[in-house]
Amino acid sequence: MSRKEASNSSSEYRSDDDYAWIPWYCSLEGNEFFAEVDEQYVQDAFNLTGLSQQVVYYDFALDMILDVESTDEILSDDQQEMVENDAETLYGLIHARFILTNRGLHAMLQKYRNRDFGLCPRVMCKGHPLLPMGISDTLNEESVKLYCAKCGNIYNSKLSRHDHVDGAFFGTTFPSLFFLTFPELMPDSKASRYTPKVFGFKVHKDAYKKSLEAKKRITERKK
């Protein structure tokens, strides 16, 4: 459903804020990991330094994010589609910066506590909550990943709709800064590892090597 369709189907009891671009975009399926960036943050040109060089239709995209009507120029349908794509890219780049601020970190904290980012798939982590992150700060290199502080591993989302969310929209710094800001959330100890056992006895680390050597000797005798 487009924003226009959503707006037309709204009830008289809904406020205009319900259909502002930022909350609308964050409510779309696949965008669950995004926090809602404060409009005041987006309106501050200092926070957007350098981003105009990464987005072709920067001014139009920024106006779309801030729900500003652009009347100076009429765009074709193809140009309008490119503006919409650029708005999504621009918002993602702004988001990567916003979640490193105090307000942004607290916005992500609430989502972390709500387990909006999912739970670690590793059995020994016992459902520890995950954090979104990028393994690159450059656009179009890697999709968003999920970090577990319990085991220290990084995972792909189990939902395919997140394959198209750029990891640069979260960045490489976020998870580390998050736990430095909220150290009480860092697990006291790492997740335990599975211990192989046979009839209740722990398997020695060299057992597999010795078993292989013994099997090779038996094979050679049969030749």
Side-chain angles (χ1 to χ4, degrees), residues 66 119 147 153:
L66 293 173
L119 305 175
Y147 169 71
N153 289 329

Side-chain angles (χ1 to χ4, degrees), residues 115-132:
R115 288 163 165 69
D116 290 347
F117 309 125
L119 305 175
C120 183
R122 188 173 181 271
V123 173
M124 304 302 282
C125 286
K126 300 178 180 179
H128 194 80
L130 299 167
L131 269 184

Side-chain angles (χ1 to χ4, degrees), residues 21-38:
W21 192 92
I22 292 176
W24 169 80
Y25 180 71
C26 292
S27 70
L28 294 178
E29 187 176 78
N31 292 348
E32 301 90 352
F33 295 167
F34 287 101
E36 292 189 17
V37 179
D38 296 337

Side-chain angles (χ1 to χ4, degrees), residues 3 60 63-64 66-72:
R3 289 187 68 209
F60 288 102
D63 284 346
M64 179 172 287
L66 293 173
D67 298 291
V68 175
E69 292 291 337
S70 299
T71 57
D72 296 338

Side-chain angles (χ1 to χ4, degrees), residues 31 93-94 118 173:
N31 292 348
L93 294 172
I94 295 172
T173 296

Side-chain angles (χ1 to χ4, degrees), residues 144-157:
V144 63
K145 308 302 179 186
L146 295 166
Y147 169 71
C148 175
K150 186 77 171 177
C151 62
N153 289 329
I154 298 172
Y155 302 92
N156 287 313
S157 172

